[in-house]
Amino acid sequence: MNENLQSHGTVDVGGMWGDPMKLSQAAAQYATDAWQRSLLYADIRRQRGNQYREHLAEEVPNVLSFRAEIVMSGLDLPRPVNYGLARIAPMEGTVIDPAKRPFIVVDPRAGHGPGIGGFKPDSEIGAALKAGHPCYFVGFLPDPVPGQTVEDVMRAEAQFVRKVAELHPESRGKPAVIGNCQAGWQILMTAAVWPELFGPIIVAGAPLSYWAGDNPMRYGGGLMGGSWMTALTSDLGAGRFDGAWLVQNFENLNPANTLWEKQYQVYADVDTEGPRYLGFEKYWGGYVFLEGREMQYIVDNLFIGNRLATAELTTSDGVRIDLRNIRSPIVVFCSHGDNITPPGQALGWITDLYRDDEDIAAHDQTIVFATHDSIGHLGIFVSGAVGRKEHREFAAHIDIIDLLPAGIYRAEIADRPAGVPAQDLTDDAYLMKIRRSDLAEVRSIVRPDPESERHFAAAARVSEINLALYRNTVQPWVQALSTPLSARWLQAMHPLRVGYECWSDSHPLAPVVAQAAEHAREERHPVEPDNPFLKAQQAMSQAVVHLLDTYRDQRDAMQARLFHAIYGSPLVQALAGQSRQDDGPPRPHPGESPEHCQYMRQELARLHESVAQGGLYEAVIRALFHVLRARGEADERHFRHAWRLLQDHLGGVPPDMAQFRRIVRRQALLMQREPDAAMAAIPRLLAASPAADIRWGMTTVDELANQGGNLSDAEHQRLLHAMGHFVQALEAAESRQAKEQAERPPAIAPASVAEPEPAPLTAPVTASVTAPSAAPLTAPVAAPVAAPAAAPEPAPEPAPVPDSAPAAKRPARAQASRAHPSPRKKR
């Protein structure tokens, strides 16, 4: 507490007693300021109540700051739901490129109303629009359709994605989907059942492994005895679960903010905080309902059962919901400052599903994760700073992410380094790097604890027992006594709703306070910042926050100890069917079906056959994988430069994103499985290419490898090794061309002296070089990023460069004048 007092300065009470006049003046100034602030604060709270009532009266309440039009309503589907798809109108001055893939932002239905993904101009929707992408929004009505289920919502979301794809046939990629919090796991469940519909998926603050992390909320279900309380709440609500109870759980996580800090901040800065406070309270107080069966499924199977991360869920028609089926890149964005979805819960599904990195490659899955150091849960998808940085970079580089081969990557977004020209970047303020990661790094963040999971498994079993007891004994009586009228009264008396309802223009004192506040606003006399009484107020506030934070920490620690004491006891574990002699995992690891094993054997056989298949662009991609594998990362400059080189060489050939993505991923898998054979086959890939094309390929590999920094010794040796294969093919091509020239009739000999233009590309190869869009950072060279770190070093020694090629360390200008361009090593 002393530290908190000192942080706001020292209150010089002793000095004031020596000057009574100064003390009285400071006291009078503070009293006037405090009284005016009290009136203005009360008036802001009055406006909050009015806003709450007006928001509830809206037909489709939301907090979007963008104009939108309904495209498709979930009420019209064969299995209706209260969700809808809306098209977002671009902001003034924003140019939308119809060739770019559309974005779909899906908001969480976790107690609040929709719109948080587009709450501000600098938001997920704003970032997608500024990057030139068409944008759509999936929201929902406050009341669910009676009888709707989680599976019904999944089917509706699949229909929405399908509809957006139909509206953009000219798009070079499938729709990218952003799922916030609860919407994140629901979108991944949908993509696991209908993987062919989705482009890259971004999940922000989405819990997927509910027993992981250090979130104190994970103990709540066990300490209440399981999900029977969820069933009771839904029964008392006449079949609907009141989302205000979910919001209450969030509020309880941080009592200092709920009970004091949020309100004090408005009081202390009452002249400026009003608009921000009212804007947030419009979202925070927009409570919605969930269907009782829908909420029960979520609590039983996800929150307490934790069955999503081990592929134990199935649809009504028997389809397993296995996240390993997703073929689109998955971007996981989480924060260490998030106490609702910490990084452990956001990333734990990866360690739950996969045993090692080989397992991830075998399932052809791409996972990119990014962590923030301090932002809170809502800040992940509503903070303007995050919207201007992380979400804008994700949107600008979504095509790069879509091209990453199978494996785990870490995205890092930093301020633009000194010496990097702003024109080299998409956003002149930030530089995005993507580096190869692995399961070990994810495991170090998640920190799996088998003993702790055993306790949660016992809690899940006890929850099933208590729920069955409730349903067989008490539930029939509760349902018989509950009516829609009683449910409405219980909802109106919820403590959070009372806080909004009790103070608005409907209160008899409201006109008096409003008039007094208007007078205070006109005669405002704020106190000086160095007023000793103001400093005492600030010190007192910090003391209150410190006291409530201490209470919170002690409460959370006590709940954790109590949970583990109860569900770690031999008696409770025995009742849950656990034995002390059990040495197996507390949860079954998702196994491999015979069909998948057979499929992988066939894929590996086809992969082996494709070692010598391809052409110039497959050779360039292999060489880049080989050279930059030692680096393990690339930044956006590699992709920008690659796009410029390929565009110059293509000469306007229309791109085919899906085909190019398949080629890049296959070459990456080849370089991981059979690196030596793949590199040795480069001369065979180039056998039909003209010498000019081979020289272009060598120059491209050299420039891209040297882009963004000096080559290390290992990278330089790999570049020499790759160039040796190109030189071998170049000599064969020049020999072949010389022979063809000598065999030509003399009459046409003069015309054949000129070096031939690059041969036209065949259809498959043409597709392989295309880039996803005309954006500067389209990603043909995602290949260097994806260089597998675990692949073995190539066995053969680097092929010698013939004497006709210049030395590797010659300047680029000198190399360009020679027939055989060779790699350079930057100093």
Side-chain angles (χ1 to χ4, degrees), residues 301-634:
N301 293 292
L302 303 180
F303 295 168
I304 295 179
N306 199 20
R307 296 188 177 98
L308 175 60
T310 49
E312 297 177 70
L313 300 179
T314 57
T315 64
S316 59
D317 48 2
V319 178
R320 176 183 288 188
I321 303 175
D322 189 344
L323 300 183
R324 297 175 299 176
N325 293 336
I326 299 174
R327 288 296 165 263
S328 306
I330 303 172
V331 180
V332 181
F333 182 36
C334 52
S335 172
H336 292 283
D338 185 353
N339 63 345
I340 294 177
T341 307
Q345 286 192 349
L347 298 171
W349 64 279
I350 305 173
T351 59
D352 289 341
L353 281 176
Y354 297 108
R355 293 185 176 90
D356 50 39
D357 296 291
E358 182 72 14
D359 202 8
I360 297 175
H363 285 84
D364 195 28
Q365 193 159 73
T366 302
I367 303 169
V368 182
F369 72 94
T371 58
H372 196 282
D373 292 333
S374 59
I375 198 73
H377 182 70
L378 285 177
I380 291 177
F381 31 84
V382 75
S383 169
V386 173
R388 288 188 297 270
K389 187 177 181 182
E390 279 82 2
H391 288 302
R392 188 178 296 183
E393 290 294 299
F394 291 148
H397 302 107
I398 197 67
D399 292 329
I400 294 174
I401 293 171
D402 195 26
L403 285 171
L404 294 176
I408 301 178
Y409 304 86
R410 185 161 191 167
E412 298 172 346
I413 302 168
D415 294 338
R416 175 167 59 91
V420 176
Q423 61 269 20
D424 287 353
L425 309 179
T426 301
D427 189 323
D428 58 7
Y430 304 108
L431 175 67
M432 180 176 181
K433 291 185 178 181
I434 301 177
R435 66 172 176 83
R436 190 68 185 237
S437 182
D438 53 28
L439 198 62
E441 183 176 7
V442 175
R443 190 174 284 113
S444 69
I445 298 174
V446 177
R447 300 192 305 275
D449 184 357
E451 186 61 27
S452 175
E453 289 206 353
R454 195 173 298 279
H455 299 170
F456 282 104
R461 180 59 183 145
V462 170
S463 175
E464 294 174 357
I465 296 171
N466 288 340
L467 179 61
L469 286 172
Y470 169 77
R471 284 174 169 170
N472 292 343
T473 57
V474 181
Q475 188 178 55
W477 293 93
V478 176
Q479 290 179 340
L481 295 174
S482 297
T483 65
L485 179 61
S486 67
R488 285 197 296 271
W489 271 102
L490 288 175
Q491 292 156 8
M493 296 304 294
H494 191 283
L496 294 184
R497 285 195 175 86
V498 170
Y500 287 90
E501 293 277 6
C502 68
W503 181 235
S504 66
D505 280 345
S506 61
H507 195 283
L509 293 179
V512 178
V513 173
Q515 184 177 0
E518 184 62 28
H519 179 72
R521 198 173 286 112
E522 294 173 355
E523 303 293 331
R524 185 78 174 99
H525 296 290
V527 71
E528 294 295 329
D530 60 348
N531 186 287
F533 293 96
L534 179 62
K535 291 186 177 182
Q537 169 197 300
Q538 295 168 341
M540 183 206 69
S541 174
Q542 289 298 317
V544 173
V545 171
H546 177 73
L547 179 64
L548 291 173
D549 284 345
T550 301
Y551 157 74
R552 177 202 61 200
D553 296 340
Q554 295 296 326
R555 177 202 65 187
D556 294 346
M558 181 190 69
Q559 289 181 347
R561 286 194 296 268
L562 184 60
F563 176 89
H564 290 295
I566 294 173
Y567 294 103
S569 67
L571 177 60
V572 173
Q573 289 188 343
L575 292 175
Q578 295 182 1
S579 171
R580 285 282 178 116
Q581 280 68 43
D582 290 343
D583 55 359
R587 286 188 295 161
H589 190 280
E592 303 293 347
S593 65
E595 294 81 5
H596 179 74
C597 294
Q598 176 65 20
Y599 167 78
M600 286 307 303
R601 285 193 292 268
Q602 295 173 353
E603 279 296 298
L604 290 177
R606 282 194 288 267
L607 186 70
H608 177 74
E609 295 173 358
S610 67
V611 167
Q613 296 175 0
L616 173 65
Y617 297 96
E618 284 80 0
V620 169
I621 292 172
R622 291 185 192 184
L624 288 171
F625 270 106
H626 179 69
V627 173
L628 295 183
R629 192 177 71 189
R631 182 180 302 175
E633 71 173 25

Side-chain angles (χ1 to χ4, degrees), residues 16 20-31 527 531-534:
M16 295 179 202
M21 184 62 69
K22 184 176 181 181
L23 178 63
S24 62
Q25 289 177 351
Q29 291 174 357
Y30 176 78
V527 71
N531 186 287
F533 293 96
L534 179 62

Side-chain angles (χ1 to χ4, degrees), residues 59-80:
E59 182 178 356
V60 186
N62 66 84
V63 294
L64 278 176
S65 63
F66 299 87
R67 291 184 296 108
E69 60 173 338
I70 298 297
V71 173
M72 188 176 183
S73 172
L75 298 175
D76 300 329
L77 297 175
R79 298 167 69 166

Side-chain angles (χ1 to χ4, degrees), residues 664-684:
V664 168
R665 294 175 70 87
R666 175 159 290 272
Q667 297 308 309
L669 191 57
L670 265 175
M671 289 301 297
Q672 180 179 1
R673 295 283 185 173
E674 303 186 41
D676 299 344
M679 289 300 295
I682 285 180
R684 296 173 62 185

Side-chain angles (χ1 to χ4, degrees), residues 277-293:
Y277 175 77
L278 291 173
F280 177 77
E281 287 296 298
K282 183 178 181 181
Y283 167 75
W284 196 248
Y287 309 121
V288 299
F289 297 90
L290 291 90
E291 172 68 17
R293 289 192 300 167

